[in-house]
PDB file of all heavy atoms in Angstrom:
ATOM      1  N   LEU A 220       3.499   2.109   9.131  1.00 98.00           N
ATOM      2  CA  LEU A 220       2.391   2.218   8.188  1.00 98.00           C
ATOM      3  C   LEU A 220       1.540   3.423   8.534  1.00 98.00           C
ATOM      4  O   LEU A 220       1.179   3.616   9.704  1.00 98.00           O
ATOM      5  CB  LEU A 220       1.530   0.954   8.223  1.00 98.00           C
ATOM      6  CG  LEU A 220       2.251  -0.375   8.015  1.00 98.00           C
ATOM      7  CD1 LEU A 220       1.260  -1.532   8.105  1.00 98.00           C
ATOM      8  CD2 LEU A 220       2.985  -0.402   6.681  1.00 98.00           C
ATOM      9  N   PRO A 221       1.181   4.248   7.543  1.00 98.00           N
ATOM     10  CA  PRO A 221       0.320   5.394   7.817  1.00 98.00           C
ATOM     11  C   PRO A 221      -1.054   4.941   8.316  1.00 98.00           C
ATOM     12  O   PRO A 221      -1.536   3.857   7.953  1.00 98.00           O
ATOM     13  CB  PRO A 221       0.230   6.113   6.475  1.00 98.00           C
ATOM     14  CG  PRO A 221       0.617   5.088   5.455  1.00 98.00           C
ATOM     15  CD  PRO A 221       1.567   4.162   6.126  1.00 98.00           C
ATOM     16  N   ALA A 222      -1.684   5.776   9.122  1.00 98.00           N
ATOM     17  CA  ALA A 222      -2.974   5.419   9.742  1.00 98.00           C
ATOM     18  C   ALA A 222      -4.037   5.008   8.722  1.00 98.00           C
ATOM     19  O   ALA A 222      -4.752   4.020   8.950  1.00 98.00           O
ATOM     20  CB  ALA A 222      -3.462   6.574  10.603  1.00 98.00           C
ATOM     21  N   PRO A 223      -4.191   5.706   7.591  1.00 98.00           N
ATOM     22  CA  PRO A 223      -5.212   5.280   6.624  1.00 98.00           C
ATOM     23  C   PRO A 223      -4.966   3.867   6.076  1.00 98.00           C
ATOM     24  O   PRO A 223      -5.912   3.126   5.821  1.00 98.00           O
ATOM     25  CB  PRO A 223      -5.116   6.333   5.512  1.00 98.00           C
ATOM     26  CG  PRO A 223      -4.547   7.540   6.186  1.00 98.00           C
ATOM     27  CD  PRO A 223      -3.574   6.985   7.184  1.00 98.00           C
ATOM     28  N   LEU A 224      -3.696   3.504   5.905  1.00 98.00           N
ATOM     29  CA  LEU A 224      -3.394   2.150   5.430  1.00 98.00           C
ATOM     30  C   LEU A 224      -3.730   1.127   6.505  1.00 98.00           C
ATOM     31  O   LEU A 224      -4.276   0.055   6.207  1.00 98.00           O
ATOM     32  CB  LEU A 224      -1.919   2.055   5.029  1.00 98.00           C
ATOM     33  CG  LEU A 224      -1.415   0.676   4.594  1.00 98.00           C
ATOM     34  CD1 LEU A 224      -2.283   0.079   3.495  1.00 98.00           C
ATOM     35  CD2 LEU A 224       0.039   0.767   4.120  1.00 98.00           C
ATOM     36  N   ARG A 225      -3.421   1.423   7.744  1.00 98.00           N
ATOM     37  CA  ARG A 225      -3.791   0.524   8.831  1.00 98.00           C
ATOM     38  C   ARG A 225      -5.318   0.329   8.882  1.00 98.00           C
ATOM     39  O   ARG A 225      -5.798  -0.788   9.091  1.00 98.00           O
ATOM     40  CB  ARG A 225      -3.290   1.079  10.168  1.00 98.00           C
ATOM     41  CG  ARG A 225      -1.775   1.066  10.323  1.00 98.00           C
ATOM     42  CD  ARG A 225      -1.346   1.771  11.604  1.00 98.00           C
ATOM     43  NE  ARG A 225       0.096   1.803  11.754  1.00 98.00           N
ATOM     44  CZ  ARG A 225       0.773   1.072  12.636  1.00 98.00           C
ATOM     45  NH1 ARG A 225       0.138   0.253  13.448  1.00 98.00           N
ATOM     46  NH2 ARG A 225       2.084   1.160  12.718  1.00 98.00           N
ATOM     47  N   GLU A 226      -6.043   1.412   8.674  1.00 98.00           N
ATOM     48  CA  GLU A 226      -7.512   1.324   8.685  1.00 98.00           C
ATOM     49  C   GLU A 226      -8.013   0.415   7.564  1.00 98.00           C
ATOM     50  O   GLU A 226      -8.944  -0.386   7.768  1.00 98.00           O
ATOM     51  CB  GLU A 226      -8.107   2.717   8.552  1.00 98.00           C
ATOM     52  CG  GLU A 226      -7.846   3.621   9.756  1.00 98.00           C
ATOM     53  CD  GLU A 226      -8.233   5.063   9.492  1.00 98.00           C
ATOM     54  OE1 GLU A 226      -8.872   5.322   8.444  1.00 98.00           O
ATOM     55  OE2 GLU A 226      -7.893   5.932  10.323  1.00 98.00           O
ATOM     56  N   VAL A 227      -7.405   0.535   6.395  1.00 98.00           N
ATOM     57  CA  VAL A 227      -7.794  -0.332   5.271  1.00 98.00           C
ATOM     58  C   VAL A 227      -7.500  -1.788   5.607  1.00 98.00           C
ATOM     59  O   VAL A 227      -8.336  -2.678   5.389  1.00 98.00           O
ATOM     60  CB  VAL A 227      -7.058   0.100   3.986  1.00 98.00           C
ATOM     61  CG1 VAL A 227      -7.207  -0.973   2.903  1.00 98.00           C
ATOM     62  CG2 VAL A 227      -7.599   1.423   3.478  1.00 98.00           C
ATOM     63  N   LEU A 228      -6.322  -2.055   6.144  1.00 98.00           N
ATOM     64  CA  LEU A 228      -5.948  -3.425   6.477  1.00 98.00           C
ATOM     65  C   LEU A 228      -6.884  -4.020   7.526  1.00 98.00           C
ATOM     66  O   LEU A 228      -7.201  -5.216   7.479  1.00 98.00           O
ATOM     67  CB  LEU A 228      -4.498  -3.471   6.966  1.00 98.00           C
ATOM     68  CG  LEU A 228      -3.430  -3.110   5.925  1.00 98.00           C
ATOM     69  CD1 LEU A 228      -2.059  -3.002   6.582  1.00 98.00           C
ATOM     70  CD2 LEU A 228      -3.404  -4.135   4.797  1.00 98.00           C
ATOM     71  N   GLU A 229      -7.333  -3.199   8.451  1.00 98.00           N
ATOM     72  CA  GLU A 229      -8.238  -3.691   9.490  1.00 98.00           C
ATOM     73  C   GLU A 229      -9.620  -4.032   8.934  1.00 98.00           C
ATOM     74  O   GLU A 229     -10.375  -4.788   9.556  1.00 98.00           O
ATOM     75  CB  GLU A 229      -8.354  -2.655  10.613  1.00 98.00           C
ATOM     76  CG  GLU A 229      -7.087  -2.534  11.438  1.00 98.00           C
ATOM     77  CD  GLU A 229      -7.208  -1.540  12.581  1.00 98.00           C
ATOM     78  OE1 GLU A 229      -8.358  -1.109  12.882  1.00 98.00           O
ATOM     79  OE2 GLU A 229      -6.181  -1.191  13.180  1.00 98.00           O
ATOM     80  N   ARG A 230      -9.962  -3.473   7.784  1.00 98.00           N
ATOM     81  CA  ARG A 230     -11.260  -3.762   7.166  1.00 98.00           C
ATOM     82  C   ARG A 230     -11.240  -5.021   6.291  1.00 98.00           C
ATOM     83  O   ARG A 230     -12.291  -5.490   5.864  1.00 98.00           O
ATOM     84  CB  ARG A 230     -11.710  -2.565   6.316  1.00 98.00           C
ATOM     85  CG  ARG A 230     -12.111  -1.344   7.139  1.00 98.00           C
ATOM     86  CD  ARG A 230     -12.464  -0.164   6.250  1.00 98.00           C
ATOM     87  NE  ARG A 230     -12.890   0.981   7.035  1.00 98.00           N
ATOM     88  CZ  ARG A 230     -14.149   1.217   7.393  1.00 98.00           C
ATOM     89  NH1 ARG A 230     -15.098   0.379   7.032  1.00 98.00           N
ATOM     90  NH2 ARG A 230     -14.451   2.278   8.091  1.00 98.00           N
ATOM     91  N   ILE A 231     -10.061  -5.550   6.019  1.00 98.00           N
ATOM     92  CA  ILE A 231      -9.962  -6.753   5.182  1.00 98.00           C
ATOM     93  C   ILE A 231     -10.178  -7.977   6.061  1.00 98.00           C
ATOM     94  O   ILE A 231      -9.477  -8.170   7.055  1.00 98.00           O
ATOM     95  CB  ILE A 231      -8.585  -6.827   4.494  1.00 98.00           C
ATOM     96  CG1 ILE A 231      -8.359  -5.584   3.630  1.00 98.00           C
ATOM     97  CG2 ILE A 231      -8.494  -8.092   3.640  1.00 98.00           C
ATOM     98  CD1 ILE A 231      -6.978  -5.526   2.987  1.00 98.00           C
ATOM     99  N   PRO A 232     -11.139  -8.839   5.721  1.00 98.00           N
ATOM    100  CA  PRO A 232     -11.465  -9.975   6.590  1.00 98.00           C
ATOM    101  C   PRO A 232     -10.371 -11.034   6.624  1.00 98.00           C
ATOM    102  O   PRO A 232      -9.529 -11.120   5.717  1.00 98.00           O
ATOM    103  CB  PRO A 232     -12.741 -10.534   5.967  1.00 98.00           C
ATOM    104  CG  PRO A 232     -12.664 -10.136   4.524  1.00 98.00           C
ATOM    105  CD  PRO A 232     -12.005  -8.789   4.523  1.00 98.00           C
ATOM    106  N   ALA A 233     -10.399 -11.845   7.661  1.00 98.00           N
ATOM    107  CA  ALA A 233      -9.423 -12.926   7.810  1.00 98.00           C
ATOM    108  C   ALA A 233      -9.527 -13.936   6.679  1.00 98.00           C
ATOM    109  O   ALA A 233      -8.569 -14.649   6.387  1.00 98.00           O
ATOM    110  CB  ALA A 233      -9.613 -13.613   9.157  1.00 98.00           C
ATOM    111  N   SER A 234     -10.701 -14.007   6.041  1.00 98.00           N
ATOM    112  CA  SER A 234     -10.916 -14.967   4.960  1.00 98.00           C
ATOM    113  C   SER A 234     -10.294 -14.524   3.637  1.00 98.00           C
ATOM    114  O   SER A 234     -10.270 -15.291   2.675  1.00 98.00           O
ATOM    115  CB  SER A 234     -12.421 -15.177   4.749  1.00 98.00           C
ATOM    116  OG  SER A 234     -13.055 -13.938   4.419  1.00 98.00           O
ATOM    117  N   ALA A 235      -9.784 -13.305   3.574  1.00 98.00           N
ATOM    118  CA  ALA A 235      -9.212 -12.801   2.328  1.00 98.00           C
ATOM    119  C   ALA A 235      -7.958 -13.585   1.951  1.00 98.00           C
ATOM    120  O   ALA A 235      -7.258 -14.127   2.811  1.00 98.00           O
ATOM    121  CB  ALA A 235      -8.876 -11.319   2.473  1.00 98.00           C
ATOM    122  N   HIS A 236      -7.684 -13.630   0.664  1.00 97.00           N
ATOM    123  CA  HIS A 236      -6.441 -14.243   0.197  1.00 97.00           C
ATOM    124  C   HIS A 236      -5.293 -13.307   0.558  1.00 97.00           C
ATOM    125  O   HIS A 236      -5.333 -12.111   0.244  1.00 97.00           O
ATOM    126  CB  HIS A 236      -6.495 -14.441  -1.322  1.00 97.00           C
ATOM    127  CG  HIS A 236      -5.448 -15.354  -1.855  1.00 97.00           C
ATOM    128  ND1 HIS A 236      -4.093 -15.073  -1.770  1.00 97.00           N
ATOM    129  CD2 HIS A 236      -5.531 -16.560  -2.491  1.00 97.00           C
ATOM    130  CE1 HIS A 236      -3.397 -16.039  -2.335  1.00 97.00           C
ATOM    131  NE2 HIS A 236      -4.246 -16.954  -2.775  1.00 97.00           N
ATOM    132  N   PRO A 237      -4.257 -13.804   1.238  1.00 97.00           N
ATOM    133  CA  PRO A 237      -3.149 -12.929   1.650  1.00 97.00           C
ATOM    134  C   PRO A 237      -2.490 -12.174   0.497  1.00 97.00           C
ATOM    135  O   PRO A 237      -1.996 -11.060   0.688  1.00 97.00           O
ATOM    136  CB  PRO A 237      -2.171 -13.897   2.312  1.00 97.00           C
ATOM    137  CG  PRO A 237      -3.034 -14.995   2.831  1.00 97.00           C
ATOM    138  CD  PRO A 237      -4.104 -15.158   1.797  1.00 97.00           C
ATOM    139  N   MET A 238      -2.482 -12.759  -0.699  1.00 97.00           N
ATOM    140  CA  MET A 238      -1.902 -12.040  -1.830  1.00 97.00           C
ATOM    141  C   MET A 238      -2.785 -10.861  -2.243  1.00 97.00           C
ATOM    142  O   MET A 238      -2.295  -9.852  -2.746  1.00 97.00           O
ATOM    143  CB  MET A 238      -1.681 -12.990  -3.001  1.00 97.00           C
ATOM    144  CG  MET A 238      -0.565 -13.992  -2.760  1.00 97.00           C
ATOM    145  SD  MET A 238       1.062 -13.193  -2.642  1.00 97.00           S
ATOM    146  CE  MET A 238       1.360 -12.860  -4.374  1.00 97.00           C
ATOM    147  N   ASP A 239      -4.084 -10.977  -2.020  1.00 97.00           N
ATOM    148  CA  ASP A 239      -4.976  -9.843  -2.259  1.00 97.00           C
ATOM    149  C   ASP A 239      -4.681  -8.725  -1.265  1.00 97.00           C
ATOM    150  O   ASP A 239      -4.779  -7.541  -1.586  1.00 97.00           O
ATOM    151  CB  ASP A 239      -6.434 -10.273  -2.149  1.00 97.00           C
ATOM    152  CG  ASP A 239      -6.845 -11.261  -3.231  1.00 97.00           C
ATOM    153  OD1 ASP A 239      -6.105 -11.393  -4.226  1.00 97.00           O
ATOM    154  OD2 ASP A 239      -7.906 -11.906  -3.083  1.00 97.00           O
ATOM    155  N   VAL A 240      -4.325  -9.111  -0.046  1.00 98.00           N
ATOM    156  CA  VAL A 240      -3.945  -8.128   0.968  1.00 98.00           C
ATOM    157  C   VAL A 240      -2.679  -7.386   0.532  1.00 98.00           C
ATOM    158  O   VAL A 240      -2.592  -6.153   0.644  1.00 98.00           O
ATOM    159  CB  VAL A 240      -3.726  -8.802   2.335  1.00 98.00           C
ATOM    160  CG1 VAL A 240      -3.278  -7.777   3.373  1.00 98.00           C
ATOM    161  CG2 VAL A 240      -4.992  -9.516   2.799  1.00 98.00           C
ATOM    162  N   MET A 241      -1.698  -8.131   0.036  1.00 98.00           N
ATOM    163  CA  MET A 241      -0.464  -7.506  -0.428  1.00 98.00           C
ATOM    164  C   MET A 241      -0.741  -6.560  -1.601  1.00 98.00           C
ATOM    165  O   MET A 241      -0.203  -5.443  -1.660  1.00 98.00           O
ATOM    166  CB  MET A 241       0.537  -8.579  -0.863  1.00 98.00           C
ATOM    167  CG  MET A 241       0.996  -9.500   0.240  1.00 98.00           C
ATOM    168  SD  MET A 241       1.943  -8.622   1.501  1.00 98.00           S
ATOM    169  CE  MET A 241       3.609  -8.848   0.908  1.00 98.00           C
ATOM    170  N   ARG A 242      -1.574  -6.984  -2.501  1.00 97.00           N
ATOM    171  CA  ARG A 242      -1.926  -6.162  -3.662  1.00 97.00           C
ATOM    172  C   ARG A 242      -2.621  -4.870  -3.222  1.00 97.00           C
ATOM    173  O   ARG A 242      -2.273  -3.768  -3.662  1.00 97.00           O
ATOM    174  CB  ARG A 242      -2.852  -6.968  -4.573  1.00 97.00           C
ATOM    175  CG  ARG A 242      -3.285  -6.277  -5.859  1.00 97.00           C
ATOM    176  CD  ARG A 242      -4.422  -7.057  -6.493  1.00 97.00           C
ATOM    177  NE  ARG A 242      -5.613  -7.040  -5.646  1.00 97.00           N
ATOM    178  CZ  ARG A 242      -6.515  -8.007  -5.622  1.00 97.00           C
ATOM    179  NH1 ARG A 242      -6.357  -9.101  -6.358  1.00 97.00           N
ATOM    180  NH2 ARG A 242      -7.589  -7.903  -4.855  1.00 97.00           N
ATOM    181  N   THR A 243      -3.575  -5.010  -2.305  1.00 98.00           N
ATOM    182  CA  THR A 243      -4.302  -3.846  -1.814  1.00 98.00           C
ATOM    183  C   THR A 243      -3.401  -2.919  -1.010  1.00 98.00           C
ATOM    184  O   THR A 243      -3.466  -1.696  -1.142  1.00 98.00           O
ATOM    185  CB  THR A 243      -5.495  -4.291  -0.948  1.00 98.00           C
ATOM    186  OG1 THR A 243      -6.392  -5.068  -1.757  1.00 98.00           O
ATOM    187  CG2 THR A 243      -6.247  -3.101  -0.377  1.00 98.00           C
ATOM    188  N   GLY A 244      -2.551  -3.506  -0.187  1.00 98.00           N
ATOM    189  CA  GLY A 244      -1.648  -2.695   0.618  1.00 98.00           C
ATOM    190  C   GLY A 244      -0.703  -1.878  -0.236  1.00 98.00           C
ATOM    191  O   GLY A 244      -0.475  -0.692   0.020  1.00 98.00           O
ATOM    192  N   CYS A 245      -0.138  -2.497  -1.270  1.00 98.00           N
ATOM    193  CA  CYS A 245       0.770  -1.797  -2.177  1.00 98.00           C
ATOM    194  C   CYS A 245       0.031  -0.680  -2.904  1.00 98.00           C
ATOM    195  O   CYS A 245       0.531   0.451  -3.001  1.00 98.00           O
ATOM    196  CB  CYS A 245       1.363  -2.785  -3.173  1.00 98.00           C
ATOM    197  SG  CYS A 245       2.458  -2.029  -4.405  1.00 98.00           S
ATOM    198  N   SER A 246      -1.156  -0.980  -3.404  1.00 98.00           N
ATOM    199  CA  SER A 246      -1.930   0.013  -4.145  1.00 98.00           C
ATOM    200  C   SER A 246      -2.348   1.177  -3.251  1.00 98.00           C
ATOM    201  O   SER A 246      -2.277   2.345  -3.651  1.00 98.00           O
ATOM    202  CB  SER A 246      -3.162  -0.657  -4.758  1.00 98.00           C
ATOM    203  OG  SER A 246      -3.883   0.249  -5.562  1.00 98.00           O
ATOM    204  N   MET A 247      -2.770   0.872  -2.035  1.00 98.00           N
ATOM    205  CA  MET A 247      -3.178   1.930  -1.107  1.00 98.00           C
ATOM    206  C   MET A 247      -1.998   2.829  -0.755  1.00 98.00           C
ATOM    207  O   MET A 247      -2.144   4.056  -0.674  1.00 98.00           O
ATOM    208  CB  MET A 247      -3.767   1.304   0.161  1.00 98.00           C
ATOM    209  CG  MET A 247      -4.307   2.338   1.155  1.00 98.00           C
ATOM    210  SD  MET A 247      -5.655   3.322   0.449  1.00 98.00           S
ATOM    211  CE  MET A 247      -5.956   4.474   1.785  1.00 98.00           C
ATOM    212  N   LEU A 248      -0.834   2.242  -0.557  1.00 98.00           N
ATOM    213  CA  LEU A 248       0.348   3.038  -0.254  1.00 98.00           C
ATOM    214  C   LEU A 248       0.670   3.968  -1.421  1.00 98.00           C
ATOM    215  O   LEU A 248       1.128   5.098  -1.223  1.00 98.00           O
ATOM    216  CB  LEU A 248       1.540   2.128   0.046  1.00 98.00           C
ATOM    217  CG  LEU A 248       2.735   2.778   0.743  1.00 98.00           C
ATOM    218  CD1 LEU A 248       2.337   3.361   2.091  1.00 98.00           C
ATOM    219  CD2 LEU A 248       3.870   1.769   0.920  1.00 98.00           C
ATOM    220  N   GLY A 249       0.374   3.501  -2.641  1.00 98.00           N
ATOM    221  CA  GLY A 249       0.578   4.341  -3.817  1.00 98.00           C
ATOM    222  C   GLY A 249      -0.351   5.534  -3.847  1.00 98.00           C
ATOM    223  O   GLY A 249      -0.015   6.580  -4.412  1.00 98.00           O
ATOM    224  N   ASN A 250      -1.532   5.395  -3.255  1.00 98.00           N
ATOM    225  CA  ASN A 250      -2.448   6.529  -3.143  1.00 98.00           C
ATOM    226  C   ASN A 250      -1.966   7.531  -2.099  1.00 98.00           C
ATOM    227  O   ASN A 250      -2.094   8.745  -2.270  1.00 98.00           O
ATOM    228  CB  ASN A 250      -3.852   6.047  -2.760  1.00 98.00           C
ATOM    229  CG  ASN A 250      -4.596   5.422  -3.911  1.00 98.00           C
ATOM    230  OD1 ASN A 250      -5.043   6.120  -4.815  1.00 98.00           O
ATOM    231  ND2 ASN A 250      -4.728   4.118  -3.901  1.00 98.00           N
ATOM    232  N   LEU A 251      -1.439   7.018  -1.008  1.00 98.00           N
ATOM    233  CA  LEU A 251      -1.021   7.874   0.097  1.00 98.00           C
ATOM    234  C   LEU A 251       0.343   8.501  -0.135  1.00 98.00           C
ATOM    235  O   LEU A 251       0.606   9.627   0.309  1.00 98.00           O
ATOM    236  CB  LEU A 251      -0.992   7.059   1.398  1.00 98.00           C
ATOM    237  CG  LEU A 251      -2.322   6.443   1.825  1.00 98.00           C
ATOM    238  CD1 LEU A 251      -2.108   5.515   3.015  1.00 98.00           C
ATOM    239  CD2 LEU A 251      -3.339   7.523   2.160  1.00 98.00           C
ATOM    240  N   GLU A 252       1.233   7.757  -0.802  1.00 98.00           N
ATOM    241  CA  GLU A 252       2.603   8.216  -1.029  1.00 98.00           C
ATOM    242  C   GLU A 252       2.973   7.992  -2.497  1.00 98.00           C
ATOM    243  O   GLU A 252       3.812   7.152  -2.825  1.00 98.00           O
ATOM    244  CB  GLU A 252       3.573   7.457  -0.114  1.00 98.00           C
ATOM    245  CG  GLU A 252       3.255   7.583   1.370  1.00 98.00           C
ATOM    246  CD  GLU A 252       4.122   6.686   2.239  1.00 98.00           C
ATOM    247  OE1 GLU A 252       5.086   6.077   1.718  1.00 98.00           O
ATOM    248  OE2 GLU A 252       3.848   6.582   3.451  1.00 98.00           O
ATOM    249  N   PRO A 253       2.342   8.704  -3.414  1.00 98.00           N
ATOM    250  CA  PRO A 253       2.578   8.465  -4.844  1.00 98.00           C
ATOM    251  C   PRO A 253       4.019   8.734  -5.250  1.00 98.00           C
ATOM    252  O   PRO A 253       4.712   9.560  -4.650  1.00 98.00           O
ATOM    253  CB  PRO A 253       1.613   9.446  -5.520  1.00 98.00           C
ATOM    254  CG  PRO A 253       1.353  10.506  -4.497  1.00 98.00           C
ATOM    255  CD  PRO A 253       1.388   9.809  -3.175  1.00 98.00           C
ATOM    256  N   GLU A 254       4.436   8.011  -6.279  1.00 97.00           N
ATOM    257  CA  GLU A 254       5.803   8.176  -6.763  1.00 97.00           C
ATOM    258  C   GLU A 254       6.040   9.569  -7.318  1.00 97.00           C
ATOM    259  O   GLU A 254       7.119  10.140  -7.143  1.00 97.00           O
ATOM    260  CB  GLU A 254       6.097   7.120  -7.846  1.00 97.00           C
ATOM    261  CG  GLU A 254       7.502   7.186  -8.399  1.00 97.00           C
ATOM    262  CD  GLU A 254       7.745   6.142  -9.483  1.00 97.00           C
ATOM    263  OE1 GLU A 254       6.764   5.597 -10.043  1.00 97.00           O
ATOM    264  OE2 GLU A 254       8.924   5.862  -9.777  1.00 97.00           O
ATOM    265  N   GLY A 255       5.027  10.096  -7.991  1.00 94.00           N
ATOM    266  CA  GLY A 255       5.182  11.423  -8.578  1.00 94.00           C
ATOM    267  C   GLY A 255       6.137  11.391  -9.741  1.00 94.00           C
ATOM    268  O   GLY A 255       5.793  10.984 -10.848  1.00 94.00           O
ATOM    269  N   ASP A 256       7.347  11.792  -9.520  1.00 94.00           N
ATOM    270  CA  ASP A 256       8.368  11.834 -10.555  1.00 94.00           C
ATOM    271  C   ASP A 256       9.217  10.567 -10.498  1.00 94.00           C
ATOM    272  O   ASP A 256       9.462  10.024  -9.428  1.00 94.00           O
ATOM    273  CB  ASP A 256       9.253  13.068 -10.345  1.00 94.00           C
ATOM    274  CG  ASP A 256      10.150  13.342 -11.543  1.00 94.00           C
ATOM    275  OD1 ASP A 256      11.199  12.678 -11.639  1.00 94.00           O
ATOM    276  OD2 ASP A 256       9.796  14.194 -12.364  1.00 94.00           O
ATOM    277  N   PHE A 257       9.703  10.104 -11.648  1.00 97.00           N
ATOM    278  CA  PHE A 257      10.538   8.902 -11.682  1.00 97.00           C
ATOM    279  C   PHE A 257      11.850   9.095 -10.925  1.00 97.00           C
ATOM    280  O   PHE A 257      12.533   8.124 -10.620  1.00 97.00           O
ATOM    281  CB  PHE A 257      10.829   8.489 -13.123  1.00 97.00           C
ATOM    282  CG  PHE A 257       9.635   7.882 -13.829  1.00 97.00           C
ATOM    283  CD1 PHE A 257       9.729   7.499 -15.160  1.00 97.00           C
ATOM    284  CD2 PHE A 257       8.424   7.687 -13.176  1.00 97.00           C
ATOM    285  CE1 PHE A 257       8.642   6.936 -15.822  1.00 97.00           C
ATOM    286  CE2 PHE A 257       7.323   7.145 -13.826  1.00 97.00           C
ATOM    287  CZ  PHE A 257       7.440   6.771 -15.154  1.00 97.00           C
ATOM    288  N   ASP A 258      12.208  10.329 -10.635  1.00 97.00           N
ATOM    289  CA  ASP A 258      13.397  10.569  -9.823  1.00 97.00           C
ATOM    290  C   ASP A 258      13.240   9.979  -8.420  1.00 97.00           C
ATOM    291  O   ASP A 258      14.230   9.797  -7.704  1.00 97.00           O
ATOM    292  CB  ASP A 258      13.682  12.068  -9.700  1.00 97.00           C
ATOM    293  CG  ASP A 258      14.178  12.674 -11.004  1.00 97.00           C
ATOM    294  OD1 ASP A 258      14.626  11.907 -11.890  1.00 97.00           O
ATOM    295  OD2 ASP A 258      14.123  13.911 -11.144  1.00 97.00           O
ATOM    296  N   ASN A 259      12.006   9.670  -8.039  1.00 97.00           N
ATOM    297  CA  ASN A 259      11.717   9.123  -6.712  1.00 97.00           C
ATOM    298  C   ASN A 259      11.661   7.603  -6.701  1.00 97.00           C
ATOM    299  O   ASN A 259      11.289   7.008  -5.688  1.00 97.00           O
ATOM    300  CB  ASN A 259      10.381   9.675  -6.197  1.00 97.00           C
ATOM    301  CG  ASN A 259      10.380  11.177  -6.051  1.00 97.00           C
ATOM    302  OD1 ASN A 259      11.380  11.753  -5.629  1.00 97.00           O
ATOM    303  ND2 ASN A 259       9.273  11.812  -6.404  1.00 97.00           N
ATOM    304  N   GLN A 260      12.012   6.946  -7.814  1.00 98.00           N
ATOM    305  CA  GLN A 260      11.780   5.512  -7.936  1.00 98.00           C
ATOM    306  C   GLN A 260      12.533   4.687  -6.888  1.00 98.00           C
ATOM    307  O   GLN A 260      11.989   3.720  -6.340  1.00 98.00           O
ATOM    308  CB  GLN A 260      12.120   5.022  -9.336  1.00 98.00           C
ATOM    309  CG  GLN A 260      13.556   5.234  -9.763  1.00 98.00           C
ATOM    310  CD  GLN A 260      13.790   4.790 -11.211  1.00 98.00           C
ATOM    311  OE1 GLN A 260      12.881   4.400 -11.935  1.00 98.00           O
ATOM    312  NE2 GLN A 260      15.044   4.832 -11.637  1.00 98.00           N
ATOM    313  N   GLN A 261      13.763   5.051  -6.569  1.00 98.00           N
ATOM    314  CA  GLN A 261      14.499   4.289  -5.571  1.00 98.00           C
ATOM    315  C   GLN A 261      13.889   4.477  -4.189  1.00 98.00           C
ATOM    316  O   GLN A 261      13.821   3.525  -3.389  1.00 98.00           O
ATOM    317  CB  GLN A 261      15.967   4.704  -5.544  1.00 98.00           C
ATOM    318  CG  GLN A 261      16.832   3.830  -4.633  1.00 98.00           C
ATOM    319  CD  GLN A 261      16.866   2.378  -5.062  1.00 98.00           C
ATOM    320  OE1 GLN A 261      17.208   2.070  -6.205  1.00 98.00           O
ATOM    321  NE2 GLN A 261      16.501   1.460  -4.162  1.00 98.00           N
ATOM    322  N   ALA A 262      13.418   5.679  -3.903  1.00 98.00           N
ATOM    323  CA  ALA A 262      12.764   5.932  -2.615  1.00 98.00           C
ATOM    324  C   ALA A 262      11.499   5.098  -2.477  1.00 98.00           C
ATOM    325  O   ALA A 262      11.207   4.560  -1.397  1.00 98.00           O
ATOM    326  CB  ALA A 262      12.442   7.418  -2.474  1.00 98.00           C
ATOM    327  N   VAL A 263      10.742   4.953  -3.570  1.00 98.00           N
ATOM    328  CA  VAL A 263       9.524   4.135  -3.532  1.00 98.00           C
ATOM    329  C   VAL A 263       9.885   2.670  -3.335  1.00 98.00           C
ATOM    330  O   VAL A 263       9.241   1.955  -2.546  1.00 98.00           O
ATOM    331  CB  VAL A 263       8.706   4.319  -4.822  1.00 98.00           C
ATOM    332  CG1 VAL A 263       7.528   3.343  -4.850  1.00 98.00           C
ATOM    333  CG2 VAL A 263       8.194   5.750  -4.922  1.00 98.00           C
ATOM    334  N   ALA A 264      10.900   2.204  -4.042  1.00 98.00           N
ATOM    335  CA  ALA A 264      11.320   0.807  -3.896  1.00 98.00           C
ATOM    336  C   ALA A 264      11.754   0.527  -2.466  1.00 98.00           C
ATOM    337  O   ALA A 264      11.372  -0.501  -1.876  1.00 98.00           O
ATOM    338  CB  ALA A 264      12.462   0.501  -4.867  1.00 98.00           C
ATOM    339  N   ASP A 265      12.533   1.428  -1.883  1.00 98.00           N
ATOM    340  CA  ASP A 265      12.979   1.242  -0.506  1.00 98.00           C
ATOM    341  C   ASP A 265      11.802   1.252   0.463  1.00 98.00           C
ATOM    342  O   ASP A 265      11.757   0.463   1.416  1.00 98.00           O
ATOM    343  CB  ASP A 265      13.979   2.336  -0.124  1.00 98.00           C
ATOM    344  CG  ASP A 265      15.313   2.209  -0.851  1.00 98.00           C
ATOM    345  OD1 ASP A 265      15.595   1.122  -1.392  1.00 98.00           O
ATOM    346  OD2 ASP A 265      16.068   3.204  -0.876  1.00 98.00           O
TER     347      ASP A 265
END
């Protein structure tokens, strides 16, 4: 996991709903490693 994503995860409290964590983690990764072109779709899925 990239350092900025780890930092975000560390700021989410233990009381958070785990599915909210998954949603935030996926979205944050999209900010750090955007798909860009659809030619990259398999790389993003992997």
Side-chain angles (χ1 to χ4, degrees):
L220 306 179
L224 176 53
R225 291 174 182 252
E226 293 170 10
V227 167
L228 294 172
E229 290 182 12
R230 290 176 178 270
I231 301 176
S234 59
H236 195 297
M238 290 294 284
D239 295 345
V240 178
M241 296 295 267
R242 182 192 65 209
T243 298
C245 178
S246 184
M247 184 61 184
L248 196 60
N250 284 287
L251 300 172
E252 303 173 9
E254 181 181 18
D256 192 279
F257 287 178
D258 289 342
N259 299 321
Q260 60 183 5
Q261 187 62 55
V263 173
D265 291 343

